[in-house]
Amino acid sequence: MATSMGFNTFDAFEDANDAKAGNQADKVHVRVQQRNGRKCITTVAGLADDLDIKRICKAFKKNFSCNGALQKDEETGGDVIQLSGDQRTNVMEFLVEQ
């Protein structure tokens, strides 16, 4: 029916499958979870498996002067770094530099 009216079809997600664009596995998720009051936790998930995540957590703790821990993610089975405080900008700058 759309072709009989002269409409052009347009796929907005046509370039989503390009080889140049990063796929879902290449993305690192940095989230902030609110605890109670002003307290929050920054979680970093999706780091590559070939990286030494324990060493990265130690570098985060030393550079940002905060506490941190490694947790196992039940859904993906990967490691998640938890840092105390809102460390989103610090984590982003650190990962871009390194």
Side-chain angles (χ1 to χ4, degrees), residues 3-81:
T3 56
S4 64
M5 299 186 80
F7 291 118
N8 292 333
T9 58
F10 174 71
D11 186 11
F13 300 104
E14 181 179 32
D15 59 345
N17 295 329
D18 286 347
K20 294 184 292 184
N23 58 4
Q24 191 70 13
D26 293 341
K27 295 189 179 182
V28 176
H29 295 278
V30 181
R31 299 181 183 94
V32 173
Q33 296 175 346
Q34 193 71 29
R35 284 193 332 149
N36 47 2
R38 292 178 19 184
K39 307 288 184 181
C40 59
I41 296 175
T42 303
T43 59
V44 182
L47 293 170
D49 292 333
D50 60 339
L51 296 175
D52 190 3
I53 297 178
K54 189 172 183 180
R55 194 176 208 183
I56 293 172
C57 181
K58 189 173 182 179
F60 283 164
K61 290 168 35 174
K62 185 174 181 180
N63 290 339
F64 309 152
S65 301
C66 67
N67 197 8
L70 282 177
Q71 299 291 322
K72 278 282 188 194
D73 188 15
E74 292 93 21
E75 294 178 9
T76 62
D79 289 327
V80 176
I81 299 175

Side-chain angles (χ1 to χ4, degrees), residues 81-94:
I81 299 175
Q82 288 185 341
L83 302 170
S84 61
D86 188 358
Q87 306 292 339
R88 288 179 289 190
T89 56
N90 293 336
V91 169
M92 186 196 68
E93 291 171 359
F94 182 87

